[in-house]
Each structure stands twice: as structure tokens, then as C-alpha cells.
Amino acid sequence: MIAYPPQEVVPSSGAVPRGRRWVFTQPTWLFALVAVVGICTVHVLYPDGFVGNFTYLSVTCGAAVVAWVGARRQSQRWQFAWGCVALGITCSAVGDAVYYVRGLIDGALLNVSIADGFWLAAYVALAIGFSSLVVGGHGVRRFDVDGLIDIASFIVMAMVVVTQFGVVRDVIGDSSYSLSTRAIWTAYPIFDAALLGVVAQAMLGRRLHGLSGLFLGCGTGLWLVADFTSLLFDDPAIHRWLDLAWMLGAAGLAMSTVPTDDLGRATHGTVAIARVTNGRIFITLVPLLVPGLIEIWQFGKHNDVNPLPLFAATLALVLLAFARSTRLLKARNRQEAALQRSTRFYSALAENSADAVIVINEAGLILNDAPNLATMMGRQGVPTIGMDALALLQPRDVVSARRVLARWWLTSGVVAADAELQATHLDGSERWFGVRSANLSSDPAIGGMVINLRNITDQKRAETALTHSGFHDSVTGLANRALFHDRLEHALDRTARSGLGVAVVYLDLDGFKMVNDSRGHEAGDQVLREMAVRLTSAVRTLDTVSRIGGDEFAILIEESARVLDEAETVAERVLQSLTAPFIVGVQQIVLSASIGIAIGDVSCTASSMMRDADVAMYKAKTAGKSQWALYEPAMRRAALDRIELESDLHHAVDQHQLRLVYQPIIELRSDRIVGFEALLRWDHPTRGVISPDDFIAIAESTGTIVPIGRWVLEEACRSAASWKRAFPATKLTMAVNLSARQLAAPDLVGDVANALVRSGFPAVKLILEMTESVLVKDADTASHRLQDLRSLGVRVAIDDFGTGYSSLSYLRQFPIDILKIDKSFTDTIVDRTQIPPIVHGLLELARTLHMHTVAEGIEFEVQRDSLRDQGCEFGQGFLFAKPLELDDVVKLLARREIPTAAPVGL
Ligand code: C2E
Ligand code: MG
Ligand code: MG
């Protein structure tokens, strides 16, 4: 860089490849390396003359060209910085060339020349370039006071050195030199020191790194070493080595500008926050040693040193070091304040966040205070430091949590994992936490497992409620059909493995619909809830009780060695539990249940078992209710029949398939016909005549009994009225059977009135028959309905009396005119002299209640005679006549002696 006198220089040819597209490939690198090494070797061997100058200039000028090519290939951001570096190399090369040309022109080399201007400009350009690289490229310039102080220290240090030693001291101290010469000689060490300051700062601050940083450091280092050596020693023997250093320095600097993968990337050091590092403290303090070292050196050489410049330098260095230290201290304070701020920031975040963050060690102890966690667990104010995290969990979760933690700990590095854990609040309630963990034990700042706990209790409760409502009945809280089905499927699976039995006990409440219709749904719900309680207490805890829908319940009996016995026992217990009435408000409701039992085997599915149990239940219902039936395959056929009948029955009235037959009612005393009972027949198109016992229940359950009953009323009244017209002297009664469903229907009174009005049949001669069970099921409605009917003038008979509840207290509530003693009692009469006590009792009861009596099913004379003897007024049965077709009735009436006045009672 700096010339040492005297020297011959030759301009270089500058044969370096040009062009923006020029790429530094590996062979190019190799070529450049070989060329530089070759030229340098030649220069060392022949440092003087044309060869020496040519080799020297070819490397420095070549370096300038390479530097420009490299700089222009840098990205926009870094082009200014690298452009300055290229400019610096170029200035130096131009200086060399000018020096060589001046030497050719003037013959003798001057101590200083215009070349020095270029060389000094090279320092400035390089310093600007390096500073730009250090602070982040073009446009991101920063005023680095610390850097300037460091550079100032280096300059002072350089000044001390050069004013105390070598050529430079001699030139500066020699007044025979011109002022400009001495100024230029003074400028060199200052500029060198400044450049050294910038590079040292960049190196120690680790802002220049990578291969490019290495080139830059080495190149500048070689230049500076050569410069200082030339300033201090004027020994011609070392000139060739100084040249070599400048040449290699220029080559190194040029290579640093090349943005190859190896070079470009790492060069651009990031602008770090000014950290107080040992390197920076070293740079600050090391210049203070220099004046002392110089004094020791001079003392060793027995030189007398002027202490004033050294003291002045020391003072300047102390002031600079003080300024630098003060700034370092401030920087440290700023860092501490920033640290405190960020600590406060993060602790405020942690405290005010909805989540709790804890750090635990391998022993499971919490290492930090997490007020949020304490609050979540109902332990406000209790520090969590040192607490065993697992102690917060539900005892049943501890083992699994320990296992999960152990797995997390095993994984080194950071592991993020999600889990859900249950813990116990201080008040005993449960808390659910969504847990996210990260194993940061390898991070010395954390040293444990960071666990983030989010309170998800509400979410969990909502989930549980949703799941529960999806599988449970909202009225009774029992399992619903879906859950029952699921459990049944699992039970069947287990049965296949264990060989233990499964049974479904399916039950339907008899007459529940009437409760709902007459007392409202709230009363119905109360009954269902009470029913759920009774059912649950009738089974083992292992068994599932479920409400399948409406008034149907199912019980799953599983894992039983004697499943049939078990199922029968449960069915009996359920029937037994229903003997007590349901209390709804102040009223009592008596309900029964029809129960079907299906026993599972390997061929069963959940659906087939449910269907079988339903079929058996239906069987129990049609067989008289309040009983249970075990499924048999034949029942399925019956069930299918029933389904067919159900649909056929819908059209029976419209298609005129129904007809009435009439059975005479006889006054026992006189054997005269006093009336008829209308009995329904269904002429089924394929099945023939179907008796009411086989279809009335179906009509009841489907509701078709209402229109059918209306038709029966109309038809019976019309027939009776026609007989009355044909035989005006007769005072015949007409008895019509009513079912429970009809009695419950509010239209009944209107229907009866219509039938009477349309037919012209007197109301007083119409008798409505109904069974006791119809009355007691919904006593209130029945009572009101009977009052209304009676107000029309019709009379009421209890049919099949003695087979139902036969409760005196019940009967008294109702306005009843006639008791019809069931055929089963008539059947017990076999001897005229020995009337069975029960028949006697029934007749007595009727007398006490002032009711008339009709004995049903009289087939034998002994029965007729015996009943007549006991005071039974009327009778009906095959002994007198079977139910007759309409025409036969007319014939009979025409033939027989007809009473002109109605007998007493009917
Ligand atoms: P119920 O009202 O008790 O009718 C008497 C039943 O006993 C009739 O059967 C009748 O044929 C039968 N019977 C009468 N005397 C004798 C006898 O000496 N020996 C025998 N073995 N049986 C006798 P039916 O017609 O099959 O009716 C059965 C039941 O169907 C009736 O019993 C009644 O409860 C019901 N029913 C009939 N017609 C209707 C109707 O129009 N509406 C409603 N809701 N039910 C009806
Ligand atoms: Mg009857
Ligand atoms: Mg009867």
C-alpha cells in the first residue's frame, strides 16, 4: 500500500476477466489461486525491475477488477459496502500505478507524491465499506459512538507507537522535510490505526465471519502489518516480503467481495444488540498498556524518553477508556432494565392469563410460583413453589400421569405434547385441565418441564352433559334406546365368549295413555319417573334399566348363569311393585304392566332380541295384561297376524265387513225376553268370521275402536228402534258394549245422543256395558262421563263383574244401574241346592247397592233355576239363545210371547 523509497514499478496489463455474467466457478478459483501464487512467487524471486513492478501491479490491479466484479454481483443492500471495499482496492492500485508512472517520468522517486493521495483515499473507502458491512449494509447506517471511541483509542495508540519508533518517527521529527510530507507520514499511522480499529471491532464483535470474513480479515491484516512494518523499519531486505503482504492483502480483499455460496452469505454480519462482551472490554482497555510498554521498551534500550507525549497519550486513552466504560455501564444498565421489563412483562402475562404455566423438575416438584394454578385449585395465595404437581390430581389419575410424565422426560430436547388431566379443587369438586408440555430441561434458563394448564372444566362438563343427554332419557334419567341397544350388543358379544346368559325384559304399562290423556303430561311424567325408580330397585345394579319410549321400558339382564330364572324373578318383582298405586298429587293411579321376556343365544342380535321381547310383551298384553310371557317362536307368527289385522281393521267399517248379532236377555222369573245385547262380528274377507275377543284389543290399541264403537251404537239403536216399530207392544232394551278408549273419548256423549236421536230409540232403554277395569283405570274421567251419559237418560251396566277389581269403594263412586255377573261364576253352579258362596255374595252386594243383576253364560237349567232361586233377576246364555242374526231376532220376536210391559229393572 504505502511505497517505500526507492522503487521501480511497472504498470500492470490488467488482464482480468470482465462482465456481469462472469461466474466464479471452482476451476476459476483454482486458476486464480495458481495465478496469484505463481505471480507472487515470481515477485519474491525478482522483486525489482520490470518483472517486480509488473508482477506487483498485475496482482493489485487484477484485485481491483475482481473486487468490482464481485461487488456488482452482491445484492442491492450490500452493493454500497462492497463497492466501497472495491473502491479502496482500486484507489490503492491506482496509487501503485501513479507511483510507478511518476517514477518513470521523474526518474527518481519522491518521498511523497500524488500516489499517497490515492493510498490514503483507499483507507477511507475501506473504512467506510467495512463500517457499512458491520452496521448492516446500505441504508441501515447507524452512528456508532462506541466504534468511534475504539477507533480513537487505536489512533492514539498508533500515534504513540509511530512517534516513538522507526522511520515514521524520524520523518515526522525531521524539520527538514516539508510540512506536507510530514503531514502525510503522520496520516498513515492514523489511517492504519483507524482501519485496524474498525476491523478489530468487527472481528471481536463476531460480525464478520465465514470465508468472506476470513478473506477480509486476512487481507486487511496483511496490509496493516505491511504498513506498520514499513513505517517502523527501513530495511531493504524485507521489501519483497512487504510487497508480498500487500499483494496477498489486495488479493484477499478482492476475494472477500465475491458473493459465492461460501463467501457472500456469511459476510453480512447481523447487527446484534450492543452486548457487553469481554472482547469489547479488552478493546477498551488494551490501549492503556501501550504507553507503559513503550516506556519499558525505551528503558530497556537505555533511551531517554520525553514523558510528556506519553503522559498526554495516556491521558487521552484514559479519557477514552472512561467514556467507553461509562457507555458500557450504561449499556449494561439498559440491558438489565430491558431484562427486568421483559421479566415483568412475562410474569404479568402469566398472572393475567387464563392459563397457568408451571415448570416441574423430574421429581414432579413445581419450580415456579403460579398464582393462577393456585386460584384454579381454590388455594389462592398459597405459593406453588415446591408443591408436588401430582398431588393436585385425582388419586386414580396419578399413576397414568406419572407414566405420561416419564415418557415426556425420556424424550430429550423440546417435546410438545397434549393431554387432559383431572384434578380436585379444594372444595372437592373436579377440575379438568388441558395440558401442553415442553421438555426444556436441556435449556439452563428453564431446567425443567414447562407445563401449560388450561382450565377446560366447563367445556368438559358441557361435553359430559351432551354425551349423557345423547344416551339418556330426559324424563327418567334412565338409559335411552340407543344406549340400551349398544349395551345389549356388547352383552351379546360377551355372552359368546363367557357362555353366561343375556335376557331382555320388555314391559309396557297398561293404560298409561289414559293417564296422559286425562291428567296431562306432567302427571304422566311423574308416573314414568316413579316407574323408573321401581324398576331400578327391582333389578341388580349390574342390569341396565332403560326407557325405550312412551310407556315402554326394557331391562337388560346380563352375565347371569341362570338367566331365565333371573328374568322371571325380575318380571315378577316388577309386577309386584305395581300393586301399589302411583300417587300423583292427591290422586292414586293403579297401573299394570305387560311384560315380555326374550332370552338371548349366539344367533341373536340386539335388534332381534328387542323384537322378540316386544312380541312376547304383546302376547302378555293380549292374554289379559298384568302378566309376563316368555318369547316363543310361534309368537312371531301371531305378531305378524296382528299387524295384518291391524291394517285390515282400518277399512272394516268402510267396507261393511262388520255386523252385529244380538243375544236375548231373559227375565228368569218369567222366561220372557226383556232385551238384547249387541255383539260385534267381523266378516273378514279371507279369514272368515272373527270374534270380538280377537280384534277388539287391536282396535283398542290402534284407536279404530272409536269409529267402530260409533257404528255399533248407531246400528244397535237402529235395530232396536226397528223392532220397536215392528212390535210396538215390546219394551225391549238394547245393551251395547263400550271399551275403555271409547269412554275416554270426549265425543262419546255426543255419539250416544246422535245414535238415539237418529234412530228414535228411547234413551231409557239403552244400556251401556263396560268392565270394572275400564272404570277404575281413570276413575275421575269415567265418573264424569257416566254422569253425562246418565243425564241423557241411558243406563250403565258393569260387564263381567267379579273378574276385575270388584272393589266396593270404587263401585260406589259410579252411578251404576246393573251388575252383569261373569260367566266364570255362573259356571260354578252345578247343584241347585248348593249355591256357591261367591255367587251368593255377589247377588247380596248388588242388592245392597240397589243394582239389578244379570247372570251371564247360563248354559244349563240348574244354573238358571239356582240363580232364580237366589234372587238373580235376569240371565243370558246359550240355554236361552246364542247371539242371533238380525232376521232371526225378528222371527223370534214374532214367534215368542212378548211382554207388553217392561219387567222391573230392564
Ligand atoms: P260380553 O260383553 O261379556 O259378551 C258376552 C260374551 O259371552 C259374548 O261373546 C257371547 O257370545 C258370550 N256368551 C254369551 N252366552 C254364553 C254362553 O252361554 N256360553 C258361552 N260360552 N259364551 C256365551 P262374544 O260375542 O264373543 O263377545 C266377547 C266380548 O267382546 C264381549 O263380552 C264384549 O266384552 C266384547 N264385545 C262384543 N261386542 C262388542 C262391541 O260392539 N264393542 C265392544 N267394545 N266390545 C264388544
Ligand atoms: Mg257385554
Ligand atoms: Mg260379559
Side-chain angles (χ1 to χ4, degrees):
M1 283 277 291
I2 179 167
Y4 41 92
Q7 187 185 64
E8 268 181 57
V9 281
V10 177
S12 83
S13 62
V16 172
R18 292 182 170 276
R20 281 214 70 160
R21 308 296 312 163
W22 193 79
V23 178
F24 288 85
T25 56
Q26 233 172 0
T28 320
W29 271 105
L30 214 60
F31 171 76
L33 190 70
V34 171
V36 169
V37 170
I39 295 170
C40 288
T41 312
V42 172
H43 184 84
V44 172
L45 293 174
Y46 307 101
D48 300 321
F50 173 76
V51 175
N53 285 326
F54 179 77
T55 48
Y56 187 88
L57 282 176
S58 65
V59 169
T60 54
C61 292
V65 173
V66 171
W68 280 114
V69 172
R72 290 189 67 192
R73 294 176 59 78
Q74 293 284 355
S75 68
Q76 188 67 32
R77 182 183 173 190
W78 300 101
Q79 276 201 359
F80 174 78
W82 288 113
C84 289
V85 174
L87 184 67
I89 299 168
T90 309
C91 285
S92 169
V94 171
D96 294 341
V98 168
Y99 184 79
Y100 168 68
V101 173
R102 284 295 307 274
L104 286 182
I105 295 167
D106 297 348
L109 290 170
L110 300 171
N111 195 297
V112 291
S113 68
I114 190 155
D116 292 288
F118 285 105
W119 285 328
L120 288 173
Y123 288 106
V124 177
L126 283 177
I128 293 172
F130 291 170
S131 306
S132 286
L133 286 175
V134 167
V135 299
H138 184 69
V140 199
R141 213 65 32 90
R142 225 176 25 151
F143 187 66
D144 186 359
V145 178
D146 297 331
L148 287 179
I149 294 174
D150 290 344
I151 290 165
S153 301
F154 272 79
I155 290 170
V156 172
M157 197 168 64
M159 289 296 293
V160 173
V161 172
V162 294
T163 53
Q164 296 298 321
F165 303 100
V167 186
V168 65
R169 180 194 59 186
D170 300 341
V171 175
I172 296 169
D174 190 343
S175 54
S176 65
Y177 286 106
S178 70
L179 200 62
S180 59
T181 303
R182 288 162 73 192
I184 286 171
W185 273 86
T186 312
Y188 277 113
I190 292 174
F191 280 35
D192 271 333
L195 196 61
L196 180 64
V198 173
V199 174
Q201 217 181 45
M203 291 295 184
L204 289 168
R206 293 203 194 94
R207 293 180 191 182
L208 293 178
H209 39 78
L211 193 55
S212 188
L214 188 72
F215 273 130
L216 200 79
C218 291
T220 319
L222 283 167
W223 269 12
L224 291 175
V225 167
D227 279 5
F228 276 116
T229 312
S230 70
L231 287 169
L232 296 175
F233 308 103
D234 185 16
D235 180 357
I238 60 165
H239 285 176
R240 69 182 69 193
W241 302 111
L242 294 179
D243 281 352
L244 182 66
W246 277 314
M247 287 160 81
L248 289 176
L253 281 169
M255 291 318 295
S256 73
T257 63
V258 178
T260 63
D261 279 355
D262 285 341
L263 300 176
R265 279 187 194 166
T267 310
H268 317 136
T270 50
V271 184
I273 299 167
R275 285 192 302 130
V276 183
T277 60
N278 289 340
R280 297 220 67 152
I281 294 172
F282 179 76
I283 291 181
T284 309
L285 297 179
V286 80
L288 288 173
L289 295 172
V290 174
L293 287 173
I294 288 170
E295 278 204 80
I296 292 168
W297 168 272
Q298 298 290 19
F299 179 74
K301 291 237 163 191
H302 303 291
N303 287 340
D304 217 7
V305 190
N306 180 0
L308 270 180
L310 285 179
F311 177 73
T314 308
L315 193 66
L317 287 171
V318 165
L319 286 175
L320 287 168
F322 177 74
R324 191 73 181 86
S325 308
T326 315
R327 289 184 56 79
L328 287 175
L329 204 65
K330 275 188 188 162
R332 214 196 67 170
N333 288 345
R334 269 200 306 276
Q335 282 171 11
E336 270 180 2
L339 193 67
Q340 274 173 10
R341 264 201 312 278
S342 87
T343 308
R344 272 204 307 280
F345 178 78
Y346 286 110
S347 60
L349 268 191
E351 278 166 28
N352 296 300
S353 141
D355 298 355
V357 181
I358 55 168
V359 181
I360 60 165
N361 65 12
E362 289 216 43
L365 297 180
I366 301 177
L367 302 178
N368 64 320
D369 192 21
N372 280 13
L373 181 64
T375 309
M376 283 177 191
M377 303 308 298
R379 297 162 197 252
Q380 284 92 330
V382 178
T384 58
I385 293 183
M387 213 182 248
D388 181 2
L390 292 177
L392 296 169
L393 300 179
Q394 296 271 31
R396 65 164 186 269
D397 283 338
V398 169
V399 176
S400 60
R402 212 185 289 282
R403 231 186 351 255
V404 170
L405 278 177
R407 208 172 49 238
W408 289 350
W409 280 116
L410 276 182
T411 323
S412 59
V414 177
V415 182
D418 283 311
E420 285 182 354
L421 286 175
Q422 207 175 3
T424 315
H425 191 270
L426 199 61
D427 66 11
S429 62
E430 290 176 356
R431 289 286 181 279
W432 275 95
F433 290 106
V435 181
R436 216 181 136 69
S437 81
N439 183 358
L440 298 181
S441 51
S442 55
D443 182 343
I446 311 287
M449 174 98 66
V450 178
I451 298 180
N452 184 296
L453 297 148
R454 192 157 40 88
N455 188 349
I456 54 165
T457 310
D458 289 344
Q459 179 190 325
K460 225 39 201 170
R461 280 185 187 147
E463 264 174 39
T464 313
L466 264 180
T467 317
H468 189 270
S469 70
F471 288 103
H472 289 81
D473 169 46
S474 59
V475 177
T476 59
L478 295 176
N480 66 8
R481 178 187 283 274
L483 181 57
F484 187 83
H485 203 272
D486 186 61
R487 292 203 180 154
L488 179 54
E489 269 178 349
H490 283 104
L492 284 168
D493 283 351
R494 280 195 294 275
T495 299
R497 290 194 298 273
S498 68
L500 293 169
V502 177
V504 171
V505 176
Y506 199 98
L507 69 107
D508 179 280
L509 286 177
D510 303 323
F512 174 76
K513 190 175 180 319
M514 232 151 58
V515 177
N516 248 354
D517 290 348
S518 57
R519 301 188 190 205
H521 286 274
E522 185 40 47
D525 287 354
Q526 267 188 51
V527 169
L528 290 173
R529 278 192 283 273
E530 171 64 22
M531 186 66 199
V533 173
R534 292 187 191 186
L535 289 176
T536 312
S537 53
V539 301
R540 302 172 303 169
T541 43
L542 174 72
D543 303 331
T544 303
V545 178
S546 119
R547 182 176 169 219
I548 299 299
D551 58 356
E552 293 175 12
F553 295 83
I555 297 164
L556 170 62
I557 297 167
E558 53 180 314
E559 290 181 25
S560 169
R562 294 165 61 238
V563 71
L564 181 58
D565 290 352
E566 189 80 44
E568 288 177 4
T569 312
V570 166
E572 288 294 345
R573 261 193 243 134
V574 171
L575 291 177
Q576 180 62 34
S577 77
L578 286 169
T579 52
F582 290 84
I583 313 290
V584 176
V586 291
Q587 288 170 338
Q588 297 190 343
I589 298 174
V590 178
L591 287 176
S592 63
S594 302
I595 301 176
I597 298 173
I599 307 293
D601 58 43
V602 280
S603 67
C604 287
T605 63
S607 304
S608 76
M609 271 195 86
M610 292 295 277
R611 192 190 55 215
D612 294 349
D614 189 25
V615 166
M617 181 276 289
Y618 182 72
K619 174 74 185 166
K621 197 173 271 286
T622 49
K625 303 177 178 176
S626 194
Q627 53 187 285
W628 59 264
L630 179 65
Y631 173 78
E632 291 158 19
M635 288 178 183
R636 193 170 293 160
R637 180 67 242 158
L640 290 173
D641 273 5
R642 176 195 147 90
I643 292 165
E644 247 175 57
L645 280 186
E646 256 177 33
S647 78
D648 293 348
L649 202 54
H650 278 291
H651 318 290
V653 177
D654 298 344
Q655 295 177 0
H656 308 291
Q657 293 170 1
L658 299 178
R659 67 188 160 88
L660 290 179
V661 289
Y662 305 92
Q663 188 176 34
I665 295 168
I666 308 295
E667 186 185 39
L668 296 180
R669 189 163 39 88
S670 61
D671 264 0
R672 288 179 307 172
I673 300 172
V674 290
F676 288 87
E677 177 177 3
L679 295 164
L680 195 52
R681 295 290 178 267
W682 179 12
D683 295 321
H684 191 275
T686 56
R687 297 173 186 234
V689 181
I690 302 178
S691 108
D693 282 334
D694 295 332
F695 71 86
I696 290 293
I698 298 175
E700 266 274 298
S701 66
T702 58
T704 40
I705 191 66
V706 176
I708 289 175
R710 193 179 295 131
W711 177 84
V712 170
L713 271 169
E714 297 264 348
E715 184 69 13
C717 288
R718 198 166 48 240
S719 299
S722 70
W723 301 333
K724 192 173 157 53
R725 280 195 298 277
F727 307 99
T730 59
K731 303 278 187 242
L732 296 171
T733 58
M734 176 57 77
V736 173
N737 293 285
L738 288 186
S739 74
R741 194 88 176 238
Q742 279 176 281
L743 191 70
D747 302 342
L748 178 67
V749 181
D751 288 347
V752 172
N754 281 341
L756 291 170
V757 169
R758 281 197 207 132
S759 64
F761 189 66
V764 71
K765 291 292 170 190
L766 180 63
I767 298 165
L768 299 177
E769 296 187 4
M770 56 207 83
T771 59
E772 293 157 272
S773 55
V774 169
L775 295 178
V776 296
K777 258 182 190 164
D778 185 5
D780 262 10
T781 318
S783 177
H784 285 115
R785 200 60 40 87
L786 291 190
Q787 293 289 1
D788 294 345
L789 288 171
R790 297 242 314 177
S791 63
L792 289 176
V794 301
R795 283 173 296 163
V796 176
I798 297 282
D799 208 350
D800 307 337
F801 186 71
T803 55
Y805 295 84
S806 304
S807 157
L808 215 58
S809 62
Y810 268 102
L811 286 181
R812 283 210 177 108
Q813 293 179 23
F814 306 108
I816 293 161
D817 305 281
I818 301 152
L819 285 188
K820 292 188 79 173
I821 296 168
D822 191 66
K823 179 175 181 297
S824 56
F825 300 106
T826 308
D827 287 346
T828 57
I829 305 169
V830 289
D831 184 346
R832 184 165 178 182
T833 53
Q834 283 192 329
I835 187 91
I838 181 91
V839 178
H840 181 74
L842 285 174
L843 291 169
E844 278 301 308
L845 173 69
R847 245 192 304 277
T848 317
L849 294 172
H850 305 292
M851 294 173 188
H852 300 288
T853 45
V854 178
E856 294 184 277
I858 301 176
E859 292 179 343
F860 305 103
E861 289 180 357
V862 63
Q863 293 167 336
R864 178 197 59 191
D865 298 342
S866 180
L867 284 161
R868 188 174 53 207
D869 292 351
Q870 288 296 314
C872 178
E873 296 158 275
F874 306 98
Q876 137 182 41
F878 293 172
L879 176 68
F880 308 108
K882 289 196 169 179
L884 304 168
E885 299 299 328
L886 187 67
D887 295 348
D888 295 334
V889 173
V890 175
K891 283 178 201 157
L892 179 74
L893 289 176
R895 204 174 60 231
R896 285 186 67 148
E897 189 186 336
I898 306 296
T900 50
V904 182
L906 290 183

